[in-house]
Amino acid sequence: MIPSKINFSENFSKLPDDCSLRIVAKKNDYEIKIVKFKGEFVWHSHPDTDETFIILDGKMMMHFRDKLVELNSGEMIVIPKGVEHKPTSREGYKAILIEPEGVPNTGDLESEMTINKIEWI
Amino acid sequence: MIPSKINFSENFSKLPDDCSLRIVAKKNDYEIKIVKFKGEFVWHSHPDTDETFIILDGKMMMHFRDKLVELNSGEMIVIPKGVEHKPTSREGYKAILIEPEGVPNTGDLESEMTINKIEWI
């Protein structure tokens, strides 16, 4: 099966609102997702996996318990497993997320922001 | 250990020439690499892993035995394991590559383009 390409702008334009998360591709046992977010997320960590954010647009403030990292378009961060973090964004951001299949968006925390089944776009 | 962010432009500016490949980050047992390429690569496949290209700049023509896919900035492709492919580019491209640790750049083919040990940047 020869694959089709994925165009990020096209996919982002299909997202329903400012806080959306969708799967765009599978690669081995990983999922590649797009996320659009504005506001304050929740403190959480992923006990079993590192998490990768690649920022495509906007600005994200990634809070750690003892550090704050500002991420702009064209920047990436890998959050080691077990490390507590909280993304926030006043302006909003668009990012690519790379995680093993089935990783919950709020990690080990169950909150009103938890999405139990992330949909494909 | 709280991670530092990675700025792709900064890292690309450190690449020595038009055909360079470097590791910028590790995530679980995967490596995230940046690649700058111009010209014609070799036909190859990766028998044990899918391969992901995210194009950041320029244009890549991804050749398959029975299909040609044009990839521009802001586009991605996942090449399934075992599928023969050959990237070419007249103008040059800059891309992010996501692959399991230690995957050879020319897959199951040993050629003058093979890089045996990919360096970090």
Side-chain angles (χ1 to χ4, degrees):
Chain A
M1 242 286 290
I2 301 299
S4 297
K5 68 178 177 181
I6 287 148
N7 182 295
F8 289 109
S9 297
E10 270 176 30
N11 281 302
F12 274 109
S13 72
K14 293 181 206 159
L15 293 183
D17 56 47
D18 275 352
C19 298
S20 299
L21 176 64
R22 291 290 186 279
I23 300 165
V24 292
K26 230 195 118 186
K27 171 213 164 61
N28 296 333
D29 52 351
Y30 276 71
E31 287 166 347
I32 300 172
K33 301 169 204 167
I34 55 170
V35 58
K36 197 172 159 190
F37 188 75
K38 194 174 185 175
E40 183 156 348
F41 205 63
V42 288
W43 281 106
H44 68 287
S45 65
H46 301 277
D48 302 317
T49 182
D50 301 340
E51 188 177 17
T52 306
F53 287 87
I54 299 172
I55 309 297
L56 294 182
D57 194 33
K59 186 195 293 279
M60 168 203 272
M61 302 304 288
M62 185 64 86
H63 299 253
F64 299 97
R65 288 296 184 188
D66 56 359
K67 193 175 166 181
L68 180 62
V69 179
E70 181 186 310
L71 290 146
N72 294 291
S73 175
E75 296 185 327
M76 183 187 88
I77 195 162
V78 178
I79 296 159
K81 62 182 170 187
V83 170
E84 279 190 295
H85 59 284
K86 178 179 76 168
T88 68
S89 181
R90 202 174 299 165
E91 308 84 342
Y93 66 81
K94 293 176 183 168
I96 301 170
L97 262 179
I98 307 157
E99 290 175 313
E101 232 173 322
V103 165
N105 65 325
T106 55
D108 55 2
L109 181 90
E110 189 76 31
S111 93
E112 77 276 12
M113 287 191 165
T114 302
I115 302 171
N116 283 312
K117 195 170 158 32
I118 299 166
E119 289 170 39
W120 280 74
I121 202 156
Chain B
M1 243 286 291
I2 301 300
S4 296
K5 68 178 177 182
I6 288 148
N7 182 294
F8 288 109
S9 298
E10 270 177 30
N11 282 301
F12 274 109
S13 72
K14 293 181 204 160
L15 293 182
D17 56 47
D18 274 353
C19 298
S20 299
L21 176 64
R22 292 289 186 281
I23 301 165
V24 292
K26 230 195 117 185
K27 172 212 164 60
N28 295 334
D29 51 351
Y30 276 71
E31 287 166 346
I32 300 171
K33 301 169 203 166
I34 54 170
V35 59
K36 197 172 160 190
F37 188 74
K38 194 174 186 173
E40 184 156 347
F41 204 63
V42 288
W43 281 106
H44 68 287
S45 64
H46 301 277
D48 301 317
T49 181
D50 301 340
E51 189 177 15
T52 306
F53 287 87
I54 299 172
I55 309 298
L56 295 182
D57 195 33
K59 187 195 294 280
M60 168 203 271
M61 301 305 288
M62 185 62 87
H63 299 252
F64 298 97
R65 289 296 182 189
D66 56 359
K67 191 176 169 181
L68 180 62
V69 179
E70 181 188 311
L71 289 146
N72 294 291
S73 174
E75 295 185 327
M76 184 187 87
I77 196 163
V78 178
I79 296 159
K81 61 182 170 188
V83 170
E84 279 191 295
H85 59 284
K86 179 178 75 165
T88 68
S89 181
R90 201 174 299 165
E91 309 85 343
Y93 66 81
K94 294 175 185 168
I96 301 169
L97 263 179
I98 306 158
E99 290 176 312
E101 232 173 322
V103 165
N105 65 324
T106 55
D108 55 1
L109 182 88
E110 188 76 32
S111 94
E112 78 276 11
M113 287 192 166
T114 302
I115 303 170
N116 283 312
K117 193 168 160 33
I118 300 167
E119 289 170 38
W120 279 75
I121 201 155

